[in-house]
Amino acid sequence: MEFVFEVEGLVQGYGSRRVISGLSMKATRGAVGLLGPNGAGKTTLLRTLATVTPPGEGTIRVFGRELRGDADVREARRAIGYLPQDFGYHPGFSVYEFVRYCAWLRMVPDRTAGKAALRALDQVGLADMRSRKMKELSGGMLRRVGIAQAIVGDVKLVLLDEPTVGLDPEQRLEFRDLIREISSEAAVVLSTHLVEDVAAACSTLHVVRDGTVVFSGTPRQLADCAAPDGRGDTPLERGYTTALRAPAVTT
Ligand SMILES: Nc1ncnc2c1ncn2[C@@H]1O[C@H](COP(=O)(O)OP(=O)(O)OP(=O)(O)O)[C@@H](O)[C@H]1O
């Protein structure tokens, strides 16, 4: 089976503080959810997968190729799109200019970059807004531009960190459809602490606590592991809170 990425024995931290301790995780195609409370290490893991931060210890393979040197990282970056929690942009750029610029950063050839930007904007439903200045966008529109910049070009792995923050309920429903659409073409990793969002959009979930994986499985399996005294309003929420109390598992 071809894995989109494989993380083995990842150790990561900030200074002397360790926040990921020997985490292992594998993902195949489709949408994968990363669930965990604040401070669990989701962003740290996504930044490592996005090649922003090299692993402290352990190995990372993206589409079967281990990230060992600069050439591996450069190759991986062409295939990886990343939406951080706060993405930077020039407020005077138009939406189109910004996404085209991101295509250029991802080394999409000049002759196809414009077309790639328009396609990404079309996918997120912002083609009509392409001339708007970035500084004039609402929070929901900005999140969508953020997704457009993450999927522009020939991206095969899309990493989204808390993409539904600030979206209203209707926008969150649209967002779920968008993730399903994107994940038919690329692998998507979605990090959030909103259990229902991730379960609706993802076929596989990993629950992370204190830098280790405590559950890996389908949304149904997560709901099924709910303890009778698990906290939450839905079976999934109860499964999630139960998983957070469980000992770490190896995948
Ligand atoms: N730049 C940094 N310097 C020092 N510590 C950091 C830094 N970034 C994150 N941390 C710490 O690392 C731990 C993991 O943080 P991380 O942001 O990866 O968690 P998270 O699961 O994404 O949390 P959230 O859901 O709040 O975004 C936290 O305890 C956090 O305080």
Side-chain angles (χ1 to χ4, degrees):
M1 181 187 294
E2 195 202 6
F3 291 104
V4 172
F5 67 82
E6 296 158 89
V7 176
E8 274 171 26
L10 177 67
V11 175
Q12 199 65 290
Y14 300 94
S16 59
R17 181 151 174 246
R18 195 181 258 215
V19 298
I20 293 189
S21 315
L23 180 145
S24 296
M25 183 182 286
K26 292 174 180 169
T28 50
R29 284 173 195 281
V32 175
L34 213 53
L35 272 169
N38 292 134
K42 305 182 297 295
T43 296
T44 305
L45 174 61
L46 283 195
R47 283 172 60 85
T48 310
L49 281 173
T51 75
V52 177
T53 324
E57 286 173 36
T59 56
I60 299 199
R61 276 188 289 279
V62 177
F63 295 103
R65 179 167 174 173
E66 187 175 337
L67 305 185
R68 296 165 75 121
D70 290 348
D72 307 311
V73 170
R74 264 199 309 277
E75 192 60 30
R77 280 185 187 164
R78 286 182 202 214
I80 297 175
Y82 176 40
L83 171 65
Q85 278 180 29
D86 295 305
F87 67 98
Y89 55 87
H90 189 292
F93 268 5
S94 71
V95 165
Y96 170 76
E97 284 167 340
F98 174 68
V99 178
R100 196 182 189 287
Y101 171 67
C102 295
W104 176 79
L105 286 179
R106 197 165 293 133
M107 291 186 269
V108 176
D110 243 10
R111 65 193 151 74
T112 52
K115 211 169 154 190
L118 286 177
R119 180 163 189 268
L121 286 171
D122 192 39
Q123 276 183 280
V124 301
L126 282 180
D128 293 346
M129 298 274 183
R130 60 184 176 274
S131 305
R132 279 267 190 108
K133 295 272 186 259
M134 291 293 288
K135 65 182 171 194
E136 295 167 357
L137 300 181
S138 71
M141 286 173 192
L142 259 184
R143 296 316 287 172
R144 281 197 273 166
V145 176
I147 294 172
Q149 65 78 33
I151 61 175
V152 70
D154 193 16
V155 166
K156 297 187 180 68
L157 171 59
V158 182
L159 307 169
L160 305 175
D161 199 352
E162 304 278 3
T164 52
V165 168
L167 299 188
D168 65 33
E170 197 183 341
Q171 288 171 327
R172 278 172 58 194
L173 292 179
E174 286 170 8
F175 170 82
R176 293 175 188 176
D177 290 339
L178 175 61
I179 296 302
R180 287 188 201 105
E181 193 187 318
I182 296 172
S183 64
S184 67
E185 293 182 14
V188 179
V189 182
L190 182 63
S191 158
T192 181
H193 46 257
L194 298 173
V195 182
E196 301 297 337
D197 274 355
V198 84
C202 300
S203 48
T204 312
L205 306 177
H206 299 283
V207 178
V208 180
R209 182 198 62 208
D210 296 334
T212 51
V213 177
V214 290
F215 169 89
S216 290
T218 63
R220 165 66 72 90
Q221 286 168 332
L222 183 60
D224 285 350
C225 84
D229 63 341
R231 286 177 48 233
D233 293 326
T234 63
L236 260 169
E237 285 178 355
R238 288 191 284 280
Y240 170 61
T241 54
T242 304
L244 285 178
R245 300 191 310 217
V249 292
T250 47
T251 52

